[in-house]
Amino acid sequence: MDTRTAPARLRIARLREALQAHHLHGVLVPSSDPHLSEYLPGHWQGREWFSGFTGSAGTLVVTLTDAALFADGRYWEQAERELQGSGIELVKIPTGAAVHHLDWIASHLKTGDTLGVDGKVLGLAAAQQLRAATDRAGIVLRTDLDPLASAWDERPALPAAPIYDHAAPYAPMSRAAKLDIVRAGMAQHGATHHFVSTVDDIAWITNLRGSDVDYNPVFLAHLLIAPAGATLYVGAGKVPAALAAQLATEGITLADYGQAASGLAALPRDAKLLVDPRRVTLGLREAAAQGVTLIEAINPSTLAKSRKTAQEAAHIREAMAEDGVAMCHFYAWFEQAKASGERITEITIDEKLSAERARRPGFVGLSFPTIAGFNPNGAMPHYRALPELHSVIEGNGLLLIDSGGQYLGGTTDITRVWPVGTITAEHRRDFTLVLKGTLNLSRARFPKGTPSPMLDSLARAPLWAESLEYGHGTGHGVGYFLNVHEGPQSISKAIPDAHMAMLPGMITSIEPGLYKPGRWGVRIENLVLNVEAPGSEFGEFLEFETLTLCPIDTRCIDMSLMRADEIAWLNKYHATVRERLAPRLQAPADRAALAWLMERTAAI
């Protein structure tokens, strides 16, 4: 490659020209949009456009002479490959929440220099950290412009996909009931108004869904809730007329998406406005009228939607069963195709598994890009096979498949590892240690309200005992036909706060892993539901109901490392998988899938 003409290098050069035109000495480009979403519409994928790094998280900083991309351990191998020839330094950070870019900015800009960042996509909490760092270093911070706009040719337009109703029976709670819940939370904080920007919160409150963001059934909007009504700021024409009329009867009026800041500016001066500093941008916060009292607290909807109702849990169990049936059909095909010598690639796996899910009732789309990684590709936690870069499934080793679906009645996310050809004792040892971590946490019982990060070490303990570790979190919350990553709970090394309390109805992943770069990776993931456990004189307790229904391949287990109680749990789980899925595999076309299910759920 002629690095002088590498796309990223040319785009960075254009960006530097824009900096000079705006009298800036540097620019911060977060992976963010005005809604602080994890997955971004193309219009706000500036970090990817200018750097060439396609990972879902990362921060780009460009000065007139230097450039750096900050990424955590999930992306290091990917980033090193994608940044080649760009002239951009990769700065490896321990977690996605690290703030190493602040130190880098302070060391690469001089006192009196000016740093630009688009305040419309900068989270309020992140802005507070950034301003403190620039103030200490004597750097001027400008947040009133979009430094990317003039340097980004053919920038994608805002999405225009229609919005639709998430209706009964899949939405068992009405919009009115959800607004009552939110207003009750506002009242607890003494707020008269509440501004919501996070698209999953808005979709949950309004029982609306869309397709503005890949893999997440959400739509771009802001919501301003008043004591006796609410205004939904959304793109013109996105809400069908009949649905708009229905919303109006329920106290939700529509306004143009671009008028959200004006709506905040028009608030009465005696208003008390509730905003979540982790879920609103600096630009929108600063749009509020002078004199308005600002109340910073977590969105009431964020807490409410994390706790699924009994009716929602029933729909989720049904979605998990349909997802499990799709997995049975896929893996039956996979094993037969391998046995017959058919050429299978990581791309083939993505296509075939997606097609099987698409056949299931209630399926809407994937919940994230399928990760199918064979041998060294499985060692990259966020790997994705591409037409120009993927592996053929041949020879010996481990195949890791992490995938999920969006159903009208729930969101799924599952990771399994399968043996290909002959595997080694080291393969089995690694697989079994990860499995023991999955089982250890799955079997946990804990007091209601336990901060979720406190559970993290239960999954890591079997690996730690062998001086092994993995760099990502153990578990993330999962939405209800919403984002596959949902807070506030997080089973990870995060510093706990009061909002991370584990409560009944929350759904969380359990996914410990082990990655050996250049060799293979192992991750075993199920989704679990917090349910009440027998209490005692010490209070209420919770435990996990495993929701995911798919066999764990026992051919990869080193039985010498397994205890009798662990084997008993696994056998009971497989019996449940067989009991739930076999009745759905009784048609002639299901014969191979049923046979595969019966074989893979046999007791050990």
Side-chain angles (χ1 to χ4, degrees):
M1 173 190 290
D2 183 350
T3 59
R4 293 170 299 177
T5 60
R9 187 177 287 272
L10 296 176
R11 291 169 183 171
I12 293 294
R14 287 288 309 277
L15 184 56
R16 288 189 171 121
E17 292 174 4
L19 294 184
Q20 291 177 317
H22 290 296
H23 306 290
L24 300 175
H25 301 89
V27 60
L28 170 66
V29 187
S31 300
S32 184
D33 67 4
H35 311 276
L36 305 181
S37 305
E38 177 182 8
Y39 296 101
L40 309 178
H43 185 79
W44 287 294
Q45 290 180 8
R47 185 265 301 155
E48 178 177 331
W49 171 261
F50 286 100
S51 71
F53 169 61
T54 62
S56 60
T59 300
L60 174 66
V61 183
V62 178
T63 72
L64 297 176
T65 56
D66 300 285
L69 187 284
F70 299 80
D72 64 65
R74 298 171 294 174
Y75 304 101
W76 290 345
E77 289 188 56
Q78 175 185 349
E80 286 175 344
R81 181 179 70 248
E82 293 179 340
L83 293 178
Q84 287 182 4
S86 68
I88 301 171
E89 172 194 5
L90 171 62
V91 180
K92 298 179 178 180
I93 59 176
T95 71
V99 290
H100 293 59
H101 62 283
L102 301 181
D103 293 333
W104 192 94
I105 290 169
S107 65
H108 285 74
L109 293 181
K110 305 187 301 296
T111 298
D113 283 354
T114 301
L115 175 73
V117 58
D118 184 1
K120 296 185 184 68
V121 303
L122 183 65
L124 183 56
Q128 292 165 346
Q129 290 181 318
L130 177 61
R131 192 173 296 279
T134 54
D135 285 350
R136 284 195 301 270
I139 296 168
V140 178
L141 181 62
R142 282 195 63 185
T143 62
D144 60 340
L145 76 167
D146 179 359
L148 310 185
S150 60
W152 192 347
D153 296 329
E154 301 179 4
R155 187 173 187 173
L158 294 180
I163 293 169
Y164 57 94
D165 203 7
H166 187 218
Y170 298 110
M173 189 185 305
S174 69
R175 282 182 275 268
K178 290 180 175 179
L179 283 167
D180 286 344
I181 290 172
V182 173
R183 288 193 174 101
M186 293 165 55
Q188 290 179 357
H189 294 288
T192 60
H193 295 75
H194 177 35
F195 187 74
V196 188
S197 277
T198 35
V199 291
D200 53 333
D201 283 290
I202 294 169
W204 181 86
I205 294 168
T206 61
N207 280 347
L208 300 176
R209 297 294 188 270
S211 54
D212 285 352
V213 181
D214 291 342
Y215 309 107
N216 301 296
V218 296
F219 54 95
L220 301 186
H222 302 283
L223 182 65
L224 181 58
I225 302 173
T231 303
L232 182 66
Y233 297 92
V234 67
K238 290 175 65 68
V239 181
L243 181 54
Q246 176 61 36
L247 291 171
T249 66
E250 301 177 58
I252 300 175
T253 58
L254 303 183
D256 185 78
Y257 176 76
Q259 296 301 309
S262 299
L264 287 170
L267 286 173
R269 291 186 177 275
D270 61 348
K272 296 178 175 59
L273 178 66
L274 172 63
V275 296
D276 187 335
R278 296 185 180 181
R279 295 172 176 86
V280 72
T281 64
L282 174 69
L284 286 166
R285 157 65 186 91
E286 291 183 336
Q290 291 293 321
V292 168
T293 301
L294 185 72
I295 301 169
E296 293 188 1
I298 190 170
N299 289 337
S301 53
T302 299
L303 294 169
K305 71 181 171 61
S306 71
R307 301 186 63 179
K308 281 59 176 177
T309 67
Q311 298 98 318
E312 289 171 337
H315 289 302
I316 291 165
R317 293 185 186 99
E318 178 68 16
M320 292 290 177
E322 292 295 347
D323 210 56
V325 168
M327 302 290 280
C328 289
H329 278 282
F330 166 76
Y331 285 114
W333 165 83
F334 175 78
E335 292 193 8
Q336 185 279 327
K338 280 297 297 175
S340 63
E342 184 174 336
R343 186 178 186 272
I344 303 173
T345 71
E346 294 166 340
I347 297 286
T348 313
I349 289 170
D350 187 353
E351 294 171 345
K352 289 285 189 179
L353 182 51
S354 298
E356 288 296 344
R357 280 197 168 99
R359 293 173 52 199
R360 307 317 308 167
F363 177 79
V364 177
L366 301 183
S367 56
F368 58 93
T370 298
I371 299 169
F374 183 52
N375 280 343
N377 293 339
M380 293 182 278
H382 278 229
Y383 168 80
R384 186 180 185 188
L386 300 172
E388 66 274 15
L389 187 67
H390 63 270
S391 293
V392 177
I393 314 303
E394 60 185 1
N396 304 313
L398 297 178
L399 171 64
L400 183 153
I401 303 176
D402 187 350
S403 65
Q406 293 283 9
Y407 297 82
L408 291 173
T411 302
T412 72
D413 182 1
I414 173 177
T415 309
R416 291 292 186 265
V417 173
W418 308 96
V420 175
T422 302
I423 62 172
T424 67
E426 189 177 0
H427 286 134
R428 289 191 173 86
R429 173 178 176 270
D430 289 351
F431 181 95
T432 307
L433 291 174
V434 173
L435 174 61
K436 288 169 73 71
T438 302
L439 300 185
N440 205 38
L441 182 51
S442 300
R443 300 164 62 208
R445 182 174 291 179
F446 47 92
K448 176 182 174 181
T450 296
S452 50
M454 290 185 66
L455 303 175
D456 183 71
S457 61
L458 295 176
R460 297 181 191 268
L463 293 159
W464 285 350
E466 303 297 326
S467 299
L468 301 170
E469 174 66 304
Y470 53 93
H472 56 74
T474 296
H476 55 83
V478 179
Y480 176 66
F481 184 39
L482 276 174
N483 294 356
V484 74
H485 293 162
E486 175 182 274
Q489 75 273 29
S490 172
I491 302 177
S492 66
K493 293 182 178 180
I495 298 173
D497 64 45
H499 301 125
M500 293 180 174
M502 292 294 266
L503 299 170
M506 289 180 166
I507 294 177
T508 315
S509 68
I510 294 178
E511 49 180 313
L514 180 60
Y515 309 97
K516 295 187 171 177
R519 302 173 71 192
W520 60 75
V522 177
R523 185 166 64 253
I524 301 171
E525 176 187 18
N526 288 329
L527 301 189
V528 295
L529 173 69
N530 290 1
V531 297
E532 293 182 358
S536 72
E537 61 185 295
F538 296 98
E540 300 175 75
F541 277 71
L542 300 176
E543 58 190 3
F544 293 126
E545 173 192 340
T546 298
L547 297 169
T548 304
L549 298 171
C550 182
I552 295 170
D553 202 313
T554 57
R555 296 172 296 178
C556 295
I557 296 176
D558 180 344
M559 293 298 292
S560 69
L561 299 177
M562 295 284 284
R563 301 192 310 266
D565 59 312
E566 294 170 327
I567 294 171
W569 190 97
L570 186 59
N571 283 338
K572 183 178 179 181
Y573 171 69
H574 279 155
T576 299
V577 172
R578 179 184 292 191
E579 177 185 346
R580 294 280 306 281
L581 299 187
R584 299 170 185 259
L585 294 167
Q586 296 302 311
D590 299 327
R591 189 173 295 115
L594 178 61
W596 179 86
L597 172 69
M598 300 303 284
E599 181 178 3
R600 293 287 162 253
T601 55
I604 56 174

